[in-house]
Amino acid sequence: MNTEKAYYLAKVPFFADLTPQEIEEIAVDFQWETYPKGELILEQGQKPASFYVLCEGLVEVQNKNGERSPASVKTVGSGSVFGELSVLMGKPFQETLLCMEKCRVLSITAADFARILLERPLIYLSIIGQLSETLDEANQLLSETKYREVLRSAIKLTQYQDKFYGIWGSVKTTKEVERKYEEIQHHPGHLLIKGERGTGRQMIAWYLHKNLFGEIAPFVLVDGLRFDHQWGSLKTDKIEINNSEESSSSQLPYAKLFEIAAGGTLFIQEIDRISPATQIELAQTIKAQPYPCFVIGSIQIEPRVREEGLLPELHKCFTHLHYIIPLRERKRDIPILVQGILEKLAQKNHRKTPVVTAEATQLLLSHHYRQGNVTELIQVLERSFFLASQDTIGLEQIFFGPTSEKVGQKVNLLRWSPIEQILKDGNFLRVIRQIAAVLFLFLIGGLIFASHLPGMLKAFALVWGLWWPVITLISPSLGRIWCAVCPFSTIMDFVQNKFHPHRPVPDFIVKYDYLIVTVLFLAIFWIEIVTQMHTNPLFTGLLLLVMQLAAIVVSVLYPRHAWCRHFCPLGGFIGTASIGSLLEVRSDPAVCLNKCTTFECYVGKGEVKGCPMSQHLPYLDNNLDCKLCFNCVQNCPHGSVQVNLRVPAREVWNLTRVNQGYAVFMGVLLGILFPINYLEPLQPSGLLSQLHISFSMAYFSFAVLGGALGWWFARPFKTKAASLRTKLVFALTPLVIAGHIIYQLNFVPGLQSLVLGAGYQGPGGFRSFFISASAAAKGSALVIGIFLASITIIFVLLKRRKK
């Protein structure tokens, strides 16, 4: 067996200097491997654990660039070796080896190969010599591959029609494109296209080429940003140039490129980004017309950049000029583009064409599309098409603007396997939710029907004395952690699973949900105070029952947790308090937008539902509407989701996509602090007394005044991103929370009777002073609230100044 191995190893150039005895010795470490036809020996990107010698059969060497199919580079036979450099340098293999027929291979592990090299240094010299001999061959193969790659660009460009959906927009815009085609057809000459990113320069180039020459003709795409690097070594080629009556042999730069594009189109993207010296050489070749082809150059115009890098010598080569108007300046095209794109998406995916609501259409029309023009609109529509579970696209399915950014240092809790396992499994949270729901139903029943029992009186005291104050305290720290186990949503989920609602949430509710939450919060808070609900178990039980029934009704009417996002007053308060919390759920937008095509975080997977708050994770950059259900942790197949600990309040001065209408809610919360902390203690027992009427008037007056001031100062919805004014309003969150903590401390059992004292030995003897624990806690809350709000405001202003 070793003799047969030695026979094949002797053919390997690396071992040419070894004696037959030495080859017999190293043959012991090699092992036989057999591969059937069509099987891979090595795959590109793989780190080989062995060095291979092909003894029998044929192997095709393939190279894969990006996401396209592997391209054949060459076919090799017996005596070829693979993986030596990868084994020596520890780098991934650069090519794929596919068996064209049954192959027998000798392999040796990396460790044994390294040992052989140490024992026989002459093999090193043989490897270096072999590399030198094959260097020229590699360069030639590289050049040929480059030519093939250019020719393949024609195939790649045929996909532009699908990418841009072949829709120009209104009749006026379409006629402008057709007019340019007729102009070039009757007056031949080269074309220069100018336009902002995403306006469709590639699509127009392909449209003109297809109509002038047909799809079969060469369509060569060259990137100006890489022109010098890719074509610098191939810029000179001897050709014949016809000069009127006589012909002379000359050298023209980049003639080979024009030869490839002969009879078709040479499309040079970002032609103004080519170096000045190369532009002059390129202009010389275009003027000489070594091979007949249609040259199209494109220039990306930046809105704030007026100067172009295109030299006059090259600019003169283009007879025709076409400027593509930005989408924000031709918004009449948007409805036509929207309808055409959705129709083609529906046809491609065998779905009914979704209807875009009036509010969603208005949002599409109001956007400026500065990031990508038509391309940006297409991305928004494609995303909304797949996110919409019904045949309607509303405000909740449209996500504009930049994705969330990583701000500051964070600690991802999912790096700890116990936490990751608990959150990804979901059973632990599911059990806690079920237990909380059962206890909640017993609580409601007990408060309504058995409030006289001692146990229920204690439970009632805990509801007002601990539950609400604890929520007020933990929300600024841990976010909407209460919402993760909230019994309202658990019971709501149970009912919703029976009815499966499909009607979308009306756009006016989505648009004005902050007003709905504000009004409900004001009403419930007022009822609690006026009826002195904290002393009445029956009223408390009825309030909880009414809220649960309202949540059930909404869950039957609309999908997901529409109650939690658009109606729940408690959720609105907790969400506002959570904006600056320590805990957040975020994702890696690069992974989400480039790798994910199924949107499991939004639509769900298997038995785990999608985001109940209708959030698309790469665009989530604040805690207002994230209820920490962790469904996205279970659903994400790419490991993009992160559960982070962060610096408190940092989110406030980096707000972008927050619901700015909650500035009104913030103003209301701030406005009612005076009446609830100073007038509420004066409330007598009973209903409809003069003091109740006075309190109610003051309560609603301050609420309306605070909300109006919040609206006036923040000016919500003037811009898509949160403005400085909006950030300053949300910077008051610590102060607002402190004010409500001060109010809730009135109901903590035993706190009023607890006294704190201190003493010291002075010159006149021992001195002491006492203060109630309630007053100390309220004072501390006020000081901390003012301090944190001041710090947040300062950082908001400093962040603005840096920008």
Side-chain angles (χ1 to χ4, degrees):
M1 182 64 71
N2 288 337
T3 302
E4 186 182 11
K5 293 180 184 179
Y7 168 76
Y8 287 108
L9 292 178
K11 296 182 178 181
V12 177
F14 296 161
F15 305 138
D17 295 333
L18 299 181
T19 64
Q21 182 179 354
E22 288 176 322
I23 293 178
E24 287 276 358
E25 292 174 356
I26 66 173
V28 177
D29 296 311
F30 281 84
Q31 304 297 325
W32 284 108
E33 292 183 11
T34 303
Y35 295 88
K37 179 181 178 180
E39 187 170 340
L40 296 180
I41 299 177
L42 278 175
E43 189 170 5
Q44 185 174 343
Q46 174 185 348
K47 285 190 175 181
S50 302
F51 164 63
Y52 299 89
V53 178
L54 178 60
C55 300
E56 297 176 1
L58 291 176
V59 170
E60 183 181 61
V61 181
Q62 300 177 342
N63 183 272
K64 183 178 181 181
N65 185 9
E67 297 182 354
R68 64 175 176 81
S69 301
S72 176
V73 177
K74 61 181 178 179
T75 301
V76 295
S78 176
S80 301
V81 295
F82 313 106
E84 69 280 4
L85 289 180
S86 299
V87 167
L88 290 174
M89 303 178 68
K91 293 185 177 181
F93 198 63
Q94 299 299 311
E95 296 166 323
T96 295
L97 305 180
L98 176 67
C99 294
M100 303 297 293
E101 56 188 35
K102 182 179 178 181
C103 297
R104 293 184 70 205
V105 175
L106 283 174
S107 68
I108 184 173
T109 64
D112 289 335
F113 188 52
R115 177 177 53 78
I116 290 175
L117 293 177
L118 289 175
E119 293 174 353
R120 296 169 176 84
L122 287 177
I123 299 178
Y124 272 121
L125 299 177
S126 299
I127 292 177
I128 294 174
Q130 184 68 21
L131 289 176
S132 299
E133 292 176 5
T134 57
L135 185 59
D136 292 336
E137 179 185 356
N139 284 334
Q140 174 133 10
L141 285 173
L142 187 61
S143 300
E144 293 176 359
T145 304
K146 186 178 296 184
Y147 290 151
R148 294 192 191 101
E149 185 65 28
V150 171
L151 292 174
R152 275 190 215 101
S153 65
I155 301 174
K156 183 178 180 181
L157 259 291
T158 59
Q159 301 173 358
Y160 277 151
Q161 186 148 352
D162 290 334
K163 181 180 178 182
F164 285 90
Y165 296 90
I167 304 168
W168 304 114
S170 64
V171 175
K172 178 182 177 182
T173 304
T174 303
K175 284 185 176 180
E176 288 178 357
V177 177
E178 293 175 351
R179 191 180 301 117
K180 182 57 62 176
Y181 161 66
E182 293 175 359
E183 178 184 329
I184 295 173
Q185 187 180 30
H186 292 94
H187 304 282
H190 303 305
L191 172 66
L192 184 64
I193 304 175
K194 297 183 179 181
E196 294 181 7
R197 180 164 60 96
T199 49
R201 291 167 292 150
Q202 299 96 326
M203 182 57 196
I204 288 180
W206 172 249
Y207 173 80
L208 295 174
H209 165 79
K210 185 175 65 173
N211 284 275
L212 290 170
F213 307 106
E215 295 186 10
I216 301 178
F219 186 100
V220 179
L221 171 65
V222 180
D223 188 351
L225 290 170
R226 301 177 179 86
F227 192 94
D228 293 84
H229 174 71
Q230 291 181 340
W231 296 95
S233 61
L234 304 171
K235 70 178 182 179
T236 304
D237 190 28
K238 286 189 177 182
I239 62 164
E240 294 293 327
I241 306 176
N242 293 322
N243 294 322
S244 62
E245 298 181 355
E246 53 180 76
S247 172
S248 63
S249 178
S250 178
Q251 288 187 340
L252 275 181
Y254 311 107
K256 190 67 176 179
L257 179 59
F258 284 78
E259 181 185 357
I260 296 172
T265 302
L266 172 60
F267 179 40
I268 308 177
Q269 292 179 303
E270 321 303 346
I271 192 171
D272 58 323
R273 304 298 294 274
I274 300 175
S275 67
T278 303
Q279 286 191 39
I280 294 175
E281 295 174 338
L282 187 59
Q284 176 187 353
T285 307
I286 293 176
K287 291 176 182 178
Q289 285 288 345
Y291 297 98
C293 69
F294 178 38
V295 181
I296 301 178
S298 77
I299 295 178
Q300 178 177 313
I301 298 176
E302 299 292 343
R304 297 181 181 179
V305 179
R306 297 182 179 179
E307 296 183 359
E308 298 177 2
L310 192 65
L311 296 181
E313 292 85 348
L314 186 54
H315 198 290
K316 293 178 182 178
C317 295
F318 296 97
T319 309
H320 303 281
L321 174 65
H322 183 64
Y323 173 70
I324 306 177
I325 301 173
L327 186 59
R328 62 182 175 275
E329 297 178 11
R330 49 184 177 99
K331 290 194 173 182
R332 291 185 178 181
D333 291 357
I334 292 177
I336 300 171
L337 290 169
V338 170
Q339 185 64 26
I341 292 168
L342 291 178
E343 286 178 357
K344 293 204 172 187
L345 279 171
Q347 183 179 6
K348 183 178 179 181
N349 292 276
H350 308 289
R351 281 176 51 180
K352 183 180 178 181
T353 303
V355 176
V356 183
T357 64
E359 293 288 349
T361 301
Q362 183 60 38
L363 179 58
L364 291 170
L365 289 170
S366 64
H367 189 64
H368 292 299
Y369 301 96
R370 293 186 181 276
Q371 288 191 332
N373 284 281
V374 178
T375 301
E376 184 180 357
L377 175 63
I378 290 172
Q379 292 172 348
V380 171
L381 291 175
E382 287 177 339
R383 187 182 303 114
S384 63
F385 177 84
F386 290 108
L387 294 183
S389 56
Q390 294 87 28
D391 294 327
T392 302
I393 293 177
L395 293 174
E396 290 188 329
Q397 287 80 40
I398 296 178
F399 295 88
F400 271 122
T403 55
S404 61
E405 298 180 0
K406 182 179 179 181
V407 180
Q409 296 298 319
K410 302 176 182 181
V411 178
N412 184 9
L413 298 180
L414 296 182
R415 292 179 180 176
W416 282 273
S417 55
I419 296 178
E420 181 185 24
Q421 185 175 357
I422 290 173
L423 295 183
K424 285 192 173 182
D425 179 67
N427 289 327
F428 177 73
L429 285 176
R430 191 176 302 111
V431 170
I432 292 180
R433 289 168 185 154
Q434 293 171 352
I435 293 174
V438 172
L439 293 176
F440 181 69
L441 292 175
F442 274 111
L443 175 64
I444 292 178
L447 292 175
I448 295 177
F449 300 107
S451 58
H452 60 283
L453 297 178
M456 289 312 304
L457 291 176
K458 292 180 181 179
F460 171 71
L462 289 176
V463 169
W464 285 103
L466 290 179
W467 173 67
W468 181 246
V470 166
I471 286 179
T472 310
L473 286 169
I474 67 172
S475 297
S477 303
L478 299 179
R480 300 184 66 162
I481 196 69
W482 163 255
C483 296
V485 296
C486 175
F488 285 103
S489 59
T490 303
I491 297 171
M492 191 171 61
D493 259 339
F494 176 79
V495 175
Q496 197 173 65
N497 290 336
K498 305 296 182 181
F499 289 90
H500 305 289
H502 294 293
R503 61 173 61 86
V505 180
D507 283 339
F508 77 90
I509 293 179
V510 177
K511 188 174 181 179
Y512 298 109
D513 57 0
Y514 64 94
L515 289 179
I516 298 173
V517 170
T518 301
V519 171
L520 289 177
F521 183 88
L522 275 178
I524 291 175
F525 211 84
W526 175 76
I527 292 172
E528 289 176 1
I529 294 175
V530 171
T531 62
Q532 296 186 354
M533 198 173 289
H534 56 275
T535 62
N536 193 316
L538 176 60
F539 286 176
T540 301
L542 290 175
L543 174 65
L544 295 177
L545 178 61
V546 169
M547 291 182 64
Q548 182 63 75
L549 291 176
I552 290 174
V553 170
V554 173
S555 70
V556 171
L557 292 175
Y558 307 121
R560 303 184 186 255
H561 291 186
W563 166 263
C564 302
R565 179 168 183 182
H566 303 299
F567 295 92
C568 182
L570 180 60
F573 179 83
I574 295 175
T576 305
S578 302
I579 286 181
S581 67
L582 286 166
L583 194 64
E584 69 174 12
V585 173
R586 297 292 184 269
S587 71
D588 185 344
V591 175
C592 295
L593 298 183
N594 297 314
K595 194 173 182 179
C596 180
T597 58
T598 49
F599 309 112
E600 283 97 335
C601 68
Y602 188 95
V603 302
K605 181 176 64 177
E607 296 182 356
V608 183
K609 296 181 179 180
C611 178
M613 304 293 277
S614 300
Q615 294 288 335
H616 188 31
L617 207 55
Y619 291 90
L620 180 65
D621 67 352
N622 66 85
N623 285 352
L624 181 63
D625 291 320
C626 178
K627 59 186 298 183
L628 299 179
C629 65
F630 303 111
N631 286 8
C632 53
V633 178
Q634 300 179 61
N635 286 330
C636 180
H638 306 294
S640 174
V641 183
Q642 303 171 359
V643 180
N644 298 320
L645 287 178
R646 61 182 186 180
V647 176
R650 186 191 294 273
E651 180 176 287
V652 176
W653 55 84
N654 290 286
L655 285 175
T656 300
R657 306 181 63 87
V658 70
N659 185 340
Q660 299 180 41
Y662 271 83
V664 176
F665 187 58
M666 285 289 299
V668 169
L669 292 178
L670 188 61
I672 64 175
L673 288 180
F674 175 76
I676 67 174
N677 281 296
Y678 292 97
L679 300 182
E680 191 275 337
L682 303 177
Q683 296 295 300
S685 59
L687 297 175
L688 298 178
S689 67
Q690 183 63 39
L691 286 176
H692 279 116
I693 296 175
S694 301
F695 168 78
S696 299
M697 293 178 63
Y699 176 84
F700 286 108
S701 297
F702 276 92
V704 171
L705 178 62
L709 287 175
W711 177 274
W712 169 80
F713 185 81
R715 299 175 185 175
F717 307 116
K718 295 296 182 183
T719 59
K720 287 296 180 291
S723 64
L724 174 63
R725 291 170 176 264
T726 302
K727 294 177 182 178
L728 288 174
V729 171
F730 282 104
L732 297 175
T733 302
L735 181 60
V736 172
I737 300 303
H740 285 268
I741 289 175
I742 291 172
Y743 172 74
Q744 296 299 331
L745 287 173
N746 294 324
F747 310 111
V748 176
L751 189 63
Q752 302 292 335
S753 58
L754 184 64
V755 177
L756 303 177
Y760 65 94
Q761 184 68 41
F766 185 80
R767 297 179 179 273
S768 62
F769 62 90
F770 300 90
I771 185 173
S772 69
S774 176
K778 291 179 180 179
S780 300
L782 180 61
V783 171
I784 293 173
I786 294 175
F787 174 76
L788 292 178
S790 302
I791 293 297
T792 307
I793 290 173
I794 291 172
F795 273 99
V796 168
L797 295 174
L798 288 176
K799 182 78 173 180
R800 175 70 174 182
R801 186 176 181 182
K802 287 181 180 179
K803 289 185 177 181

